[in-house]
Amino acid sequence: MHRWSDLSDVPADFGPTVVTLGNFDGVHRGHASVLRRMAADARAQGSSAVAVTFTPHPLQVHRPEDAPPLLTGDADRLDLLAETGLDAVLLLPYSLQFARQSPEEFVRRYLVDGLRARTVVVGRDVRFGWQNAGDLTTMVALGERFGFAVEVIDDITPEAGASRRWSSTWVREALAAGDVEQAARVLGRPHRLRGLVVHGDARGRELGFPTANLAQDAAGMVPADGVYAGWLRRTRTADGAPVVAGEPLPAAVSIGTNPTFDGVQRRVEAYVLDRTDLDLYDEEVALDLVARLRPTLRFESVDQLLVQMHDDVARVRDVLATGPSVRTEA
């Protein structure tokens, strides 16, 4: 899949295209279903399938106080979009200057002149251009003017007659409740956190459970405090080299403030089962969260905490006994 960040990256002979636009946060099962079908239809008509998306999320620019926590960082979002069969993604830097384009300017510059769109695929609630002035009616009118068809997609639900559609909001609600299993059902895969491993207080190592501490700017919405079973994958070495097909390592993941030690900073820490030899500092790792075992608790003594940690590890081992989870097709 081609990955572009500017129209200058698009080859002069690329096209014609079928184009869709959106944020695609999480690339959940609804997104994936629409994009796979769009890619297949594009190939059937001799076109290339392209998604136009933005970074950062527009709300982070216009109303940062109202911006939702993002489910995926750009790296994971692009990888997930590639899995749907798209031919290309145009990931545009979003700024106030970019937002000042009128609906017509945006469509003409990016969809018509830049990508040579033959068909534009949008939802009924599409909004685009300065102050979201463009809507579905606008897009249809611009299509008639510039010579592209507009295909409207309806909401995708888990099953016929279901009361709720697949959505990023649904995933965020599940994660806020610590229900990573429900989040995985909507996403079609376990929820992932990705970030650099940084130095912590080294308490885990002192207790016999050395942990990899994710940096505070790790990508992916952090779910509710608690202890989780998950898989750790090394994705980038300390010198920045990518780790191809990193081995999934079973891990007990703690999210919270370490109340037993009167901690105040919320942290994500992962103990790789039975491994005290790993040196992950300054490496990038991904954590795929499979199940929440319990909420975060405050213990009266370190001995009580150690008993619980041994029990947590045993439960993680049981949960992960069947091996790493695979993606669920929509």
Side-chain angles (χ1 to χ4, degrees), residues 228-307:
Y228 295 80
W231 297 94
L232 181 147
R233 287 177 171 83
R234 303 166 88 161
T235 54
R236 201 167 287 275
T237 64
D239 61 5
V243 177
V244 180
E247 176 190 3
L249 303 172
V253 181
S254 173
I255 298 175
T257 60
N258 291 322
T260 300
F261 298 99
D262 297 321
V264 294
Q265 186 180 57
R266 195 165 183 246
R267 295 179 177 177
V268 178
E269 307 174 67
Y271 163 65
V272 176
L273 271 54
D274 307 319
R275 297 291 298 270
T276 59
D277 59 322
L278 290 174
D279 181 3
L280 300 176
Y281 290 122
D282 298 322
E283 291 193 15
E284 181 191 77
V285 301
L287 293 177
D288 292 338
L289 303 178
V290 175
R292 186 180 190 230
L293 306 183
R294 63 172 177 85
T296 297
L297 302 172
R298 181 186 181 91
F299 295 91
E300 296 303 316
S301 69
V302 172
D303 287 341
Q304 288 181 359
L305 171 62
L306 281 170
V307 170

Side-chain angles (χ1 to χ4, degrees), residues 1 4 14 16-22 24 29-53 81-90 111 115 117-123 149-153 156:
M1 184 187 79
W4 303 318
F14 192 83
T17 62
V18 175
V19 181
T20 189
L21 54 149
F24 305 111
R29 294 177 70 179
H31 291 143
S33 177
V34 168
L35 294 172
R36 281 197 296 269
R37 187 173 70 239
M38 185 186 106
D41 290 347
R43 290 191 185 92
Q45 61 176 260
S47 298
S48 297
V50 182
V52 177
T53 189
L81 288 171
E83 291 180 11
T84 68
L86 289 171
D87 296 292
V89 170
L90 178 57
L111 307 188
L115 295 172
R118 176 182 289 172
T119 303
V120 176
V121 179
V122 295
V150 176
E151 180 182 337
V152 181
I153 52 172
I156 306 295

Side-chain angles (χ1 to χ4, degrees), residues 86-141:
L86 289 171
D87 296 292
V89 170
L90 178 57
L91 179 63
L92 293 171
Y94 193 90
S95 64
L96 287 176
Q97 181 178 355
F98 177 90
R100 291 192 179 96
Q101 297 175 96
S102 71
E104 179 181 333
E105 288 171 332
F106 171 76
V107 167
R108 185 179 63 249
R109 180 180 181 191
Y110 290 95
L111 307 188
V112 179
D113 295 340
L115 295 172
R116 291 168 285 285
R118 176 182 289 172
T119 303
V120 176
V121 179
V122 295
R124 294 188 184 278
D125 59 352
V126 64
R127 307 295 298 211
F128 59 100
W130 177 236
Q131 296 184 332
N132 279 334
D135 58 11
L136 178 57
T137 300
T138 312
M139 187 68 79
V140 170

